[in-house]
Amino acid sequence: MKTAFITGITGQDGSYLAEHLLTQGYRVVGMMRRTATPSTERIEGILDQVEIAHGDLLDQSSLMRLLEEYQPDEIYNLAAQSFVHASFHEPIHTAEVTAVGVSRLLEAMRLVVPGARYYQASSSEMFGKVSETPQKESTPFHPRSPYGVSKVYAHWATVNYRESYDLFCCSGILFNHESPRRGIEFVTRKITAGVAAIVFGKQEGIPLGNLDARRDWGFAGDYVEAMHLMLQQDEPKDFVVATGETHSVRDFCRIAFSRVGLDYEDFVSVDPKFYRPAEVDLLLGDPSLARENLGWTPRTSFEELVHLMVDSDLAHHKDLGLQVQKGSLPESLLTTT
Ligand code: NAP
Ligand code: F7E
């Protein structure tokens, strides 16, 4: 039985990856940092099947100790300060965790378990002010936020450990991927949670920032499979993971509101406080290499993604016994008890 060590297991991707690896027969060890209130909501359903290990990307000794103790075959580094907007307010913390944290973990791997395989969660935010469209593995980086800058550092640190020490290290350059488990401050979940709150009379409208930003949005459950496939190859290599489609924030709003029979223009307002000092206007990935080398393709369409997120947030309100105040529930939710 192979052992996988996941940092960031309490996050969106960590929870889906842990579930996927359990179905593949892995022993799953998830690293969690200490928090005053429990942060295990996303992994409640699998807590009895995974082993939780306490450590922090800010603490070198904890990483060394855990790798020594668990001797993982595969290391998935998903932990990060991952919210771009917050990275402008906390640039130093973001760099410590999202950039230097990667050097800490790679160094721990080199010294303790050099035979392990390492996955780094790289990001399309590294392309930033894009120099070509669609973006592929060879597209130059031009990050536009402290988060993007940190991810470029982490990406090159991973390449460097592969080239310097012949370690099996690779990066997935993942474009935006979402799910009902997406953090509430990211735009997709902010919209779908807002739609549900409006339908059930808990909120009047949704203030947003740049409605014209375009992203290549996929489903997180599909994307974690690509992470695992990357570590099963003969050679370590970096891959773009994306859908190959781009949509605006406005498109997302339109589909989300029409799911409940409402017009987004009646509820969405623009508040400049959600603008960023520098914006990434357009992201569109070319996942050809992942399709050809890994046999990976996304299974969830953009519309299906929006619907599954809206439906999940609606179901949550319905389960609380609240009554519909505006719009209507989709057919599938009318029949469920
Ligand atoms: P997420 O939901 O924000 O999860 C981040 C995880 O990192 C959480 O488990 C968090 O723990 C943990 N963490 C934060 N600081 C830590 C520290 N100092 N030490 C240890 N753990 C720490 O992010 P996600 O959406 O799952 O994304 C997973 C990874 O992929 C991240 O590296 C992100 O930057 C990258 N990425 C995401 C996307 C996307 O669209 N989702 C796209 C490209 C790349 P707490 O629960 O304690 O906060
Ligand atoms: O913003 C615009 C915002 O915060 C998407 C992270 O997972 O994906 C994510 O980063 C777009 C931006 O995600 C609001 O300006 C408008 O153009 O959902 P987001 P992100 O910044 O793309 C990448 C790939 C990662 O790696 C990151 O970890 O939507 N937008 N109005 C808004 N964004 C937010 N959050 N809130 C708004 O009100």
Side-chain angles (χ1 to χ4, degrees):
M1 184 191 264
K2 282 204 268 190
T3 299
F5 182 83
I6 305 176
T7 72
I9 193 167
T10 58
Q12 171 187 257
D13 291 7
S15 66
Y16 281 107
L17 178 65
E19 287 170 11
H20 179 61
L21 294 178
L22 287 171
T23 68
Q24 303 293 307
Y26 279 70
R27 172 194 186 206
V28 175
V29 179
M31 188 182 88
M32 256 180 79
R33 59 181 169 165
R34 192 253 162 201
T35 47
T37 41
S39 60
T40 49
E41 194 185 327
R42 295 183 178 100
I43 51 170
E44 286 303 331
I46 52 167
L47 265 180
D48 56 345
Q49 299 166 64
V50 298
E51 293 169 56
I52 295 298
H54 289 277
D56 197 308
L57 280 189
L58 298 174
D59 186 303
Q60 181 76 52
S61 68
S62 67
L63 303 175
M64 309 274 286
R65 175 178 53 77
L66 293 178
L67 295 190
E68 181 65 45
E69 182 176 343
Y70 292 101
Q71 296 288 320
D73 300 286
E74 297 176 8
I75 299 169
Y76 295 88
N77 183 34
L78 307 185
Q81 190 304 90
S82 76
F83 188 33
V84 173
H85 192 86
S87 78
F88 287 102
H89 303 298
E90 298 180 4
I92 315 296
H93 174 76
T94 302
E96 282 291 353
V97 179
T98 307
V100 185
V102 175
S103 289
R104 292 190 190 96
L105 187 55
L106 285 168
E107 194 58 5
M109 171 179 161
R110 180 178 79 82
L111 295 170
V112 181
V113 282
R117 295 183 167 211
Y118 178 92
Y119 173 87
Q120 170 60 24
S122 284
S123 165
S124 52
E125 281 293 300
M126 300 188 304
F127 298 125
K129 191 171 167 55
V130 299
S131 57
E132 62 176 349
T133 296
Q135 295 85 48
K136 47 185 186 286
E137 291 77 6
S138 56
T139 301
F141 300 144
H142 184 151
R144 298 272 281 170
S145 64
Y147 170 80
V149 171
S150 299
K151 282 290 182 185
V152 172
Y153 172 101
H155 184 84
W156 283 115
T158 305
V159 171
N160 184 246
Y161 270 65
R162 177 166 77 214
E163 293 178 352
S164 305
Y165 306 114
D166 203 21
L167 300 181
F168 195 109
C169 297
C170 44
S171 294
I173 306 175
L174 270 56
F175 283 61
N176 298 53
H177 46 280
E178 318 293 313
S179 74
R181 298 182 201 167
R182 184 57 140 157
I184 201 79
E185 71 270 64
F186 297 93
V187 76
T188 55
R189 187 74 200 292
K190 182 173 167 183
I191 296 167
T192 64
V195 166
I198 289 166
V199 166
F200 285 96
K202 292 276 170 201
Q203 194 172 314
E204 292 296 316
I206 312 177
L208 295 174
N210 179 10
L211 300 182
D212 297 316
R214 300 184 72 85
R215 291 289 184 276
D216 180 329
W217 276 296
F219 173 52
D222 295 343
Y223 283 34
V224 297
E225 295 181 16
M227 300 176 186
H228 174 243
L229 286 169
M230 285 175 62
L231 295 198
Q232 313 315 309
Q233 304 307 300
D234 292 337
E235 299 294 332
K237 205 163 156 180
D238 305 328
F239 290 94
V240 158
V241 178
T243 68
E245 275 183 36
T246 187
H247 300 272
S248 65
V249 172
R250 195 183 298 281
D251 294 337
F252 196 104
C253 290
R254 188 179 298 115
I255 297 175
F257 275 93
S258 68
R259 181 70 172 162
V260 292
L262 297 174
D263 183 345
Y264 84 96
E265 293 193 79
D266 296 333
F267 300 94
V268 170
S269 57
V270 171
D271 184 336
K273 95 170 172 213
F274 297 109
Y275 290 160
R276 292 165 184 189
E279 177 63 289
V280 172
D281 296 318
L282 162 77
L283 289 174
L284 170 61
D286 175 358
S288 308
L289 194 69
R291 189 175 55 240
E292 286 155 20
N293 289 19
L294 306 177
W296 180 86
T297 46
R299 285 192 296 268
T300 312
S301 73
F302 178 65
E303 190 174 58
E304 285 167 347
L305 172 67
V306 181
H307 287 178
L308 78 87
M309 290 179 71
V310 171
D311 291 5
S312 165
D313 280 315
L314 289 169
H316 177 67
H317 283 75
K318 191 172 170 234
D319 289 348
L320 294 175
L322 299 171
Q323 299 302 312
V324 171
Q325 306 289 329
K326 284 194 183 88
S328 55
L329 293 182
E331 193 77 18
S332 56
L333 283 174
L334 289 174
T335 50
T336 53
T337 51

